[in-house]
Amino acid sequence: MKGLASAPGDYVYFKSQVPLHKISIGSKQWRYYDFGPKSVPPLICLPGIAGTADVYYKQIMSLSLKGYRVVSLDLPRVWNHLEWVHAFEKFLDTINVHHVHLYGTSLGGFLAQIFAQYRPRRVKSLVLSNTFLNTEKFSASMPWSPVVGWTPSFLLKRYILTGIRDGPQEPFIADSVDFVVGQVETLSRDDLSSRLTLNAAAASVGPLLLSDSLVTIMDTNDYCAIPQSLKDQVCERYPGARRAIMKSGGDFPFLSRPDEVNLYLQLHLRRVGVEAKQDQISGTSKDGNAGSLYDDRHAEHEDNPQEGQGSSGSHFESHEPQSSNSAEGSHDNNGSENDDGPPKDQVSFDLPESDHDPQASGSETCISNEQLLTIISISAMASGIILLPEQALSSILFTIQLNLGALYTAKTSKV
């Protein structure tokens, strides 16, 4: 894995603020992050073959700031899908979570559906991204799966990385690939063997008791390791699901397009009835001291967000009528304006248009909440400066001016 010195600045900040948990349940080892108000039903993030709990750090940072609880975990070493169901259920019991909202990408999305099939009472909603319904295609492309447990680690890593597109890419996609490749290097041979076995073992998702209205399908339209035909099958299985389509993002949109992914996740959680607890935004740092993850200045920026970014080519489709109290409405429960709603030029809904003209902003460049907060966090870390009140900053500047004037006077007097 890359050292923290070469890791992205916001990831370094994340590691300094959010504790990593490691527990043993029976013979299974679990490595996970759990951050946000414990009174909120959690969104549990399940990675793909190449992912770890760390790949969802941008979702943890953004959604916990808004008052949601996010749990991101490494897939444990299990060797069949029923073993996964039992192991994951024991994990939920251990962390005292009964009802969950699952967000899964690639293999993680498949495992989320499997769990929803066998434990329907525990799964309240699903967000599926670049995933599939059956493993037939992967099984056919991996005839050596029976001996995967004896395959050397470097060959397993090479096999996994060949599924990630190589060559020139957009910078944000290239950065996401670099980060995931670094995470793959941290996985052991048993970790890799287990995941490849789950991906190739013959299985398919059966009918779910979960209503399609509680499912969101979030896919990218550019290159992805999951064939488009398999993604289309998921859309056909859940015809009443909400669809969030991103023009680009590659295999890891949660890293390459975090603003859009976080927006769609927030809209999903609000739509399925998860109430954020912004008054409980606090966490525990690595030293065990309880406190706010972000300072008051960040909270002020969140309460007064900038306008949304220009169109990125994504949209959000609904196949069901909108209700008057929909989470996408323009006001929250106390009647104030909803600051967390999507930019109108970024996401489209089946709602009546408001008086606001999305073209009125012209060519002005706008910054979203998450980008603004990330810029502030990185700037504070890079310079080691605490955000200062305006009066204190003015005093410092005045003092610097006085010192410079004194130096200039002393120098001229010597001459």
Side-chain angles (χ1 to χ4, degrees), residues 223-235:
Y223 173 84
C224 177
I226 304 300
Q228 185 61 44
S229 59
L230 297 186
K231 295 194 289 185
D232 290 341
Q233 291 177 5
V234 176
C235 296

Side-chain angles (χ1 to χ4, degrees), residues 126 208-216 235-242 271 320:
L126 291 173
L208 303 186
L209 296 181
L210 193 68
S211 170
D212 288 359
S213 63
L214 301 176
V215 178
T216 292
C235 296
E236 294 171 2
R237 170 66 67 87
Y238 310 108
R242 295 288 182 93
R271 181 169 59 85
E320 59 184 29

Side-chain angles (χ1 to χ4, degrees), residues 145-167:
S145 58
V147 296
V148 67
W150 291 274
T151 306
S153 177
F154 76 94
L155 289 179
L156 296 177
K157 292 178 180 178
R158 180 181 299 178
Y159 178 80
I160 291 174
L161 295 179
T162 55
I164 302 176
R165 186 179 183 181
D166 195 9

Side-chain angles (χ1 to χ4, degrees), residues 34 40-44 69-71 95 97 99-102 269 274:
D34 184 354
V40 177
L43 173 71
I44 297 187
R69 180 184 179 185
V70 183
V71 177
I95 64 174
V97 169
H99 301 121
V100 296
H101 303 268
L102 300 179
L269 292 173
V274 178

Side-chain angles (χ1 to χ4, degrees), residues 403-415:
N403 291 334
L404 290 176
L407 289 173
Y408 178 78
T409 301
K411 188 173 183 179
T412 54
S413 63
K414 290 180 180 179
V415 175

Side-chain angles (χ1 to χ4, degrees), residues 240-356:
R242 295 288 182 93
R243 295 191 62 191
I245 308 300
M246 288 174 283
K247 182 178 180 180
S248 62
D251 287 295
F252 317 112
F254 43 87
L255 288 169
S256 59
R257 292 286 191 190
D259 292 343
E260 295 176 53
V261 171
N262 296 340
L263 176 64
Y264 292 139
L265 290 174
Q266 184 182 357
L267 291 174
H268 172 85
L269 292 173
R270 292 166 58 186
R271 181 169 59 85
V272 299
V274 178
E275 182 181 354
K277 299 291 180 64
Q278 286 190 305
D279 57 333
Q280 300 179 20
I281 300 177
S282 63
T284 304
S285 61
K286 282 190 171 183
D287 58 7
N289 296 324
S292 177
L293 175 59
Y294 302 96
D295 58 21
D296 294 335
R297 178 62 63 88
H298 288 174
E300 290 174 10
H301 283 294
E302 186 61 26
D303 291 337
N304 300 279
Q306 304 291 329
E307 294 181 6
Q309 296 183 56
S311 175
S312 60
S314 61
H315 65 281
F316 197 69
E317 298 178 356
S318 172
H319 299 281
E320 59 184 29
Q322 301 288 334
S323 62
S324 59
N325 61 347
S326 171
E328 290 80 9
S330 60
H331 293 79
D332 58 17
N333 293 334
N334 58 13
S336 61
E337 291 187 0
N338 184 356
D339 295 332
D340 298 323
K344 289 183 177 292
D345 57 348
Q346 187 179 39
V347 185
S348 62
F349 303 94
D350 296 332
L351 293 175
E353 295 184 1
S354 66
D355 295 333
H356 172 68

Side-chain angles (χ1 to χ4, degrees), residues 1-21:
M1 178 185 177
K2 295 181 180 179
L4 285 182
S6 60
D10 56 346
Y11 178 63
V12 175
Y13 181 62
F14 164 80
K15 294 289 287 184
S16 70
Q17 296 294 319
V18 182
L20 173 64
H21 303 279

